[in-house]
Amino acid sequence: MIPAGFDYVRAESAEHALALLAEHGDEAKLLAGGHSLLPLMKLRLAVPGVLVDIAHIDELRYIRVEGDEVAIGALTRDRELERSELLQSEVPLLAHVAAQVGDPQVRARGTLGGSLVHGDSASDLPTAVLALGGSLVIQGPAGTRTVAAGDFFQGFFTTAVGEDELLTEIRLPRTGGLGWAYEKFTRRANDWPIVSAAVVDGRVALANSGPTVLRAAATEAALASGASNADAAAVADEGTSPSADMHGGVEYRRHLTRTLVGRALDTASA
Amino acid sequence: MDVTMTVNGVESTRDVEARTLLVHHLRENLDLRAANVGCDTSSCGACTVLLDGEAVKSCTVLAAQAAGSEVTTVEGLAAADGTMHPVQAAFRAEHGLQCGFCTPGMVMATVSLLRDNPSPTERQVREGLEGNLCRCTGYHNIVRAALAAAETQKPVSA
């Protein structure tokens, strides 16, 4: 399958990318690694008139400690997250989850920012970033603003990033000393999760349990009030709205959610 | 648009449509037919090539995205005198080829895997080849070939 025709422009800097977005309006779409966007374009589910390729903006590829946070450039690739010794010690959940994305070839191209902005509720990295808390730095015509991870994922493939804006940085708390876990259930190797659960620092985030990645609020409240892991996991599907598909029904997913959260809590607190 | 890249050490410039995928550019514009279009959905890995040293699925990369880059395909692995790359030799010796459709992608993924980890365990080989499907489901010999190549090729790099 070959995408419908479009114009291709390579952005040289974040400012250049924003200028191109301003110039082309809603015809334009940002292209990072392309591993979410190009498949949609092949299926004509996305038909942008102009692709602004931001993958070569090296100023947005970095992982560094800044105070009690780790700052990650939005164009940092999954492979770089997975291999980063700094992340493995400071935010090990993210390095571990990055290694679960797709397969090695996909991780060579996919970027953290691209995965977050794509906003697929079945994605690994958004689930991890939601569980980690932290914040996301968004650059636009009016300047730079920072959005809490909990406010970033707004709905079905919808995030806080506007059409004329660019996600530039992800800031995560240094959680290296805390227990964490990621439990992912897939139908086959290299697939998206049917359900996954990320746990760190009292926060529990779920993939594929609603229109966007979401927090298991009832579980978090139970943990905060001193409930056992088993009792907290038993309410993990409260507030979720999973869809049935060929991989499983609604009750199957709810059961899977409770099971995976239970395992994740036990691993994180072990 | 003009797209210039270096493929198997040779620089070439072609006028391509922006929507041209790298795999089609290699096959149709540069006459390099080893990278196959299998699933065309980034699942099967039959189109795997090295892009600036990293294994990628060329059905999910635009030729324009690869402009200015170095691309290596199976055609670029053997030495100038025809001596096979250790990974190619191991696939032949261990009968890792089967029907052959997945082989170019398997070989390129294996080259990348062994560059990152010259002495993988069997499990690491299986994880490293996770992005490549063999429709003969003949993974056993492919994994054996990757392990054999690791034994013979160190410390050679592609």
Side-chain angles (χ1 to χ4, degrees):
Chain A
M1 294 171 287
I2 295 168
F6 53 83
D7 290 329
Y8 171 94
V9 197
R10 193 177 277 194
E12 306 298 336
S13 65
E15 286 70 26
H16 187 206
L18 289 171
L20 289 165
L21 286 180
E23 179 185 343
H24 296 289
D26 60 10
E27 276 290 286
K29 187 96 183 145
L30 296 177
L31 174 72
H35 275 53
S36 296
L37 181 57
L38 290 177
L40 291 182
M41 289 172 62
K42 288 180 173 188
L43 295 169
R44 304 297 197 272
L45 294 172
V47 191
V50 181
L51 274 189
V52 176
D53 185 356
I54 56 174
H56 300 270
I57 304 177
D58 286 339
E59 67 190 81
L60 296 181
R61 280 174 79 177
Y62 54 84
I63 305 170
R64 59 187 178 228
V65 171
E66 291 186 3
D68 53 6
E69 292 181 317
V70 171
I72 306 171
L75 291 173
T76 306
R77 294 180 180 169
D78 301 344
R79 177 67 54 83
E80 293 160 341
L81 302 175
E82 172 187 359
R83 291 178 181 167
S84 163
E85 290 181 10
L86 192 155
L87 271 189
Q88 285 164 13
S89 68
E90 300 295 339
V91 195
L93 171 65
L94 192 70
H96 175 82
V97 170
Q100 314 288 308
V101 175
D103 55 56
Q105 291 98 316
V106 168
R107 298 197 290 275
R109 299 292 296 171
T111 66
L112 176 58
S115 176
L116 296 176
V117 173
H118 186 58
D120 187 342
S121 81
S123 267
D124 299 289
L125 290 166
T127 315
V129 167
L130 186 62
L132 284 161
S135 52
L136 299 102
V137 182
I138 298 168
Q139 199 173 329
T144 295
R145 64 196 178 98
T146 301
V147 175
D151 298 324
F152 185 80
F153 304 102
Q154 298 184 335
F156 188 68
F157 288 94
T158 309
T159 71
V161 180
E163 284 187 349
D164 55 353
E165 293 183 315
L166 172 70
L167 174 65
T168 55
E169 186 175 88
I170 296 87
R171 303 186 67 85
L172 301 171
R174 296 167 68 179
T175 50
L178 301 172
W180 56 271
Y182 187 62
E183 287 286 337
K184 172 179 177 177
F185 193 83
T186 58
R187 190 173 63 93
R188 58 177 185 190
N190 82 30
D191 216 340
W192 281 273
I194 294 177
V195 171
S196 71
V199 169
V200 66
D201 200 16
R203 283 184 298 271
V204 181
L206 304 171
N208 231 350
S209 296
T212 177
V213 289
L214 48 86
R215 300 263 292 273
T219 293
E220 293 180 359
L223 289 172
S225 64
S228 68
N229 286 347
D231 287 347
V235 295
D237 61 313
E238 270 186 29
T240 66
S241 52
S243 301
D245 62 18
M246 61 180 167
H247 304 316
V250 168
E251 188 44 48
Y252 171 75
R253 279 201 161 80
R254 288 181 177 276
H255 175 81
L256 200 50
T257 300
R258 296 189 295 268
T259 303
L260 295 181
V261 166
R263 288 180 193 165
L265 290 174
D266 285 345
T267 301
S269 57
Chain B
M1 61 185 292
D2 275 349
V3 167
T4 301
M5 66 181 78
T6 302
V7 181
N8 299 332
V10 179
E11 186 179 286
S12 63
T13 301
R14 294 287 189 280
D15 180 21
V16 302
E17 278 191 82
R19 61 179 176 162
T20 305
L21 298 163
L22 178 58
V23 68
H24 295 304
H25 181 59
L26 294 171
R27 292 178 59 86
E28 292 158 24
N29 299 334
L30 303 181
D31 284 331
L32 295 167
R33 304 290 165 81
N36 288 317
V37 180
C39 68
D40 200 19
T41 61
S42 0
S43 298
C44 80
C47 64
T48 298
V49 301
L50 303 186
L51 177 58
D52 290 330
E54 292 271 21
V56 304
K57 293 180 172 175
S58 59
C59 77
T60 313
V61 178
L62 298 170
Q65 286 175 287
S69 294
E70 303 254 353
V71 176
T72 307
T73 71
V74 160
E75 290 98 332
L77 281 186
D81 66 358
T83 305
M84 284 191 287
H85 184 281
V87 172
Q88 291 175 302
F91 267 70
R92 181 164 105 169
E94 301 295 333
H95 190 49
L97 284 86
Q98 285 110 192
C99 91
F101 190 80
C102 73
T103 308
M106 286 286 185
V107 167
M108 299 315 287
T110 303
V111 168
S112 174
L113 162 70
L114 295 181
R115 181 181 294 169
D116 293 344
N117 181 359
S119 303
T121 62
E122 180 182 330
R123 182 186 173 87
Q124 286 169 331
V125 167
R126 290 183 183 275
E127 287 173 351
L129 297 179
E130 193 180 7
N132 294 70
L133 302 180
C134 163
R135 287 307 186 196
C136 311
T137 67
Y139 297 103
H140 185 69
N141 287 350
I142 291 169
V143 171
R144 263 204 343 215
L147 290 168
E151 283 302 311
T152 58
Q153 85 159 12
K154 48 177 111 155
V156 178
S157 65

